[in-house]
Amino acid sequence: TNAKQNERSILAYLRKNKIGYRNEIARNLEIDSATVREVLKRLLKQGRVKLVETDKFQRKFYSVKN
């Protein structure tokens, strides 16, 4: 899969579910967790997603930035 397709898939997942964390996104989209991490980092830098919260297990939750 190419990078743009991964970006589109992750953005669509976050739009549908409102919020998600890396391993949840990876599991549901069947994309490697490390790949999801890199895509989220890129989307954060582009201002397309935002970090919403970090829970007590250090899971970082993301949502689509409006």
Side-chain angles (χ1 to χ4, degrees), residues 10-16 18-19 48-50 52 62-66:
I10 290 170
L11 286 169
Y13 179 88
L14 290 173
R15 281 189 196 100
K16 179 182 175 199
K18 307 296 183 222
I19 192 170
R48 297 172 74 191
V49 299
K50 61 184 174 184
V52 179
Y62 298 90
S63 69
V64 175
K65 198 168 184 179
N66 293 330

Side-chain angles (χ1 to χ4, degrees), residues 51-61:
L51 178 62
V52 179
E53 70 173 291
T54 303
D55 71 6
K56 67 180 183 176
F57 303 110
Q58 297 303 304
R59 292 182 300 197
K60 295 178 179 175
F61 289 83

Side-chain angles (χ1 to χ4, degrees), residues 37-50:
R37 181 181 62 234
E38 293 305 312
V39 172
L40 285 170
K41 192 186 308 183
R42 196 166 53 245
L43 291 171
L44 269 171
K45 190 179 275 189
Q46 294 170 359
R48 297 172 74 191
V49 299
K50 61 184 174 184

Side-chain angles (χ1 to χ4, degrees), residues 25-38:
I25 295 167
R27 185 172 52 251
N28 284 291
L29 296 179
E30 298 180 354
I31 300 173
D32 186 75
S33 182
T35 302
V36 173
R37 181 181 62 234
E38 293 305 312

